[in-house]
Amino acid sequence: MRLKKNDTVKIIAGKDKGRTGKIVKIDPVTERVIVQGLNMVSKTMKKRNPQDKGGIIEVEAPIHVSNVQLVSKDKVSRVGYRVENGKKIRYAKKTGEVL
């Protein structure tokens, strides 16, 4: 997977299309990412103890990596790899910026 935690991404498909956010969590097995504050869904929570609040809460749902794209210098770009000085580095293909 070419995206990493704390990368800024833009959602390119779905109900939050066009919005940007930071990746909070990545699941490489299912190829899904959780973006901070985006793709929110309502979830019911049961009380665990007397002082805990139950009810309906809003949480971020995972979104497939094919529906997000990396943002570099306010432009969306694909991620590439190249070898410099014997080290493999990630870079944004459109801007050439090293990530």
Side-chain angles (χ1 to χ4, degrees):
M1 188 173 298
R2 296 172 185 265
L3 296 175
K4 304 291 182 198
K5 187 176 177 180
N6 292 326
D7 280 349
T8 303
V9 293
K10 183 175 189 176
I11 296 184
I12 58 173
K15 65 180 182 181
D16 288 327
K17 181 178 179 178
R19 297 178 66 192
T20 60
K22 194 169 275 203
I23 294 179
V24 177
K25 186 178 177 184
I26 294 180
D27 185 6
V29 176
T30 60
E31 295 184 338
R32 292 183 175 270
V33 296
I34 295 178
V35 183
Q36 185 177 20
L38 299 179
N39 200 28
M40 301 297 282
V41 294
S42 298
K43 183 176 179 180
T44 56
M45 292 294 290
K46 191 174 185 179
K47 280 188 175 185
R48 300 283 181 214
N49 52 40
Q51 59 266 25
D52 193 15
K53 288 188 74 173
I56 300 171
I57 62 167
E58 293 273 319
V59 293
E60 294 116 350
I63 187 167
H64 197 268
V65 293
S66 65
N67 295 326
V68 298
Q69 200 167 15
L70 183 78
V71 174
S72 169
K73 294 183 181 175
D74 296 329
K75 291 185 179 181
V76 291
S77 176
R78 290 185 298 226
V79 178
Y81 288 97
R82 64 178 172 223
V83 178
E84 289 184 1
N85 300 328
K87 290 192 175 187
K88 185 177 172 182
I89 60 166
R90 286 191 323 145
Y91 73 100
K93 286 190 171 188
K94 188 171 272 188
T95 62
E97 178 186 9
V98 175
L99 304 172

